[in-house]
């Protein structure tokens, strides 16, 4: 059974107790979490983010660079003034290089050969470094507001614990 | 108090009952959810996504185009074969045009004037259309695997309900 066939039943259970229909669009606590798409990452429960509190941006690796468009929208239109970047242990982005993934895609899908070479998959070689680099990237971006608090963190998928890096 | 000062206390409560440290890296249910960063969206509870089940990609609007890099990584390295794209009612991306947001950024931050013109903020003019367009974009991408199930959905922030669009 495709996974999406379970969405409706799960959502009906959610709707039966839903009482948050009046929440406004801007995040109540004015912050953004940037984190990985990893299946073992669940920001709401792991960081105590209540519904309506924060913007949550997720992509492969938790790249702040790729999140920039979303952060600009969040700051300029919806009033956020704090960004927390989380990367995590055992991340898939630690397991390959751009060249290796490009070659794999080309071998599996020859039709992709021409365009896959243009994609930077943003692999990570060192977790703490990647968090520091991402926070520095945001701090230095002229597109973002000066009065922003930036922090950087690691989440440990084996223990469930977070650790502040920067 | 900055929001991040609450992360550690919230996370300690999470860790005290955490028993999922042995979950593997690949998503157990082999699917990806692409959805918006909106503060009222919480995929795990709203769709019944268990820890370890699925990759969750989030950005401003739930753009499948921006999610492409992450989806390639997910499919090629971590075995996912299904993608569900969710957009939602009352989305901030319905409230502006590229030109309006660029002018706002320039007015607030003159130093950003040169580079903000290069950014497509991916605003949305019609929700059902944007879901259909995003699913079509993924289906047509030569970078993605042929044997993939794609679905497209809307989430209603007032009722908590989902509706399948495509």
């Amino acid at each position: 059974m495709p996974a999406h066939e379970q969405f409706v039943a799960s959502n009906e259970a959610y709707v039966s107790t839903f009482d948050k229909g009046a929440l406004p669009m801007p995040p109540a606590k004015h912050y953004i979490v940037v984190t990985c798409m990893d299946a073992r990452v669940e920001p709401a429960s792991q960081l105590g983010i209540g519904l309506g509190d924060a913007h949550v941006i997720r992509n492969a690796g938790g790249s702040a660079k790729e999140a920039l468009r979303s952060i600009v929208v969040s700051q300029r239109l919806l009033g956020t003034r704090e960004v927390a970047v989380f990367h995590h242990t055992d991340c898939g982005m630690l397991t390959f290089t751009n060249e290796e993934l490009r070659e794999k895609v080309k071998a599996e899908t020859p039709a992709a050969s021409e365009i896959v070479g243009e994609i930077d998959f943003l692999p990570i070689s060192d977790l703490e470094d990647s968090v520091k680099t991402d926070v520095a990237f945001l701090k230095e971006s002229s597109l973002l507001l000066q009065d922003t608090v930036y922090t950087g963190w690691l989440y440990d998928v084996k223990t469930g614990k977070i650790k502040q890096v920067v």
Side-chain angles (χ1 to χ4, degrees), chain A residues 3-54:
Chain A
H4 72 263
E5 293 183 9
Q6 302 178 349
F7 290 160
V8 173
S10 297
N11 180 251
E12 281 173 2
Y14 179 79
V15 169
S16 70
T17 61
F18 182 74
D19 60 358
K20 301 280 179 62
L23 288 172
M25 190 191 293
K29 297 194 175 171
H30 313 293
Y31 70 94
I32 302 168
V33 168
V34 178
T35 190
C36 188
M37 67 177 178
D38 192 282
R40 298 160 296 181
V41 169
E42 198 180 86
S45 56
Q46 289 161 355
L47 304 177
I49 307 172
L51 198 70
D53 280 358

Side-chain angles (χ1 to χ4, degrees), chain A residues 65-81:
Chain A
K65 194 173 178 185
E66 190 172 272
L68 184 60
R69 174 189 69 91
S70 299
I71 297 173
V72 172
V73 171
S74 175
Q75 290 192 336
R76 304 290 179 162
L77 300 179
L78 294 163
T80 56
R81 291 294 179 272

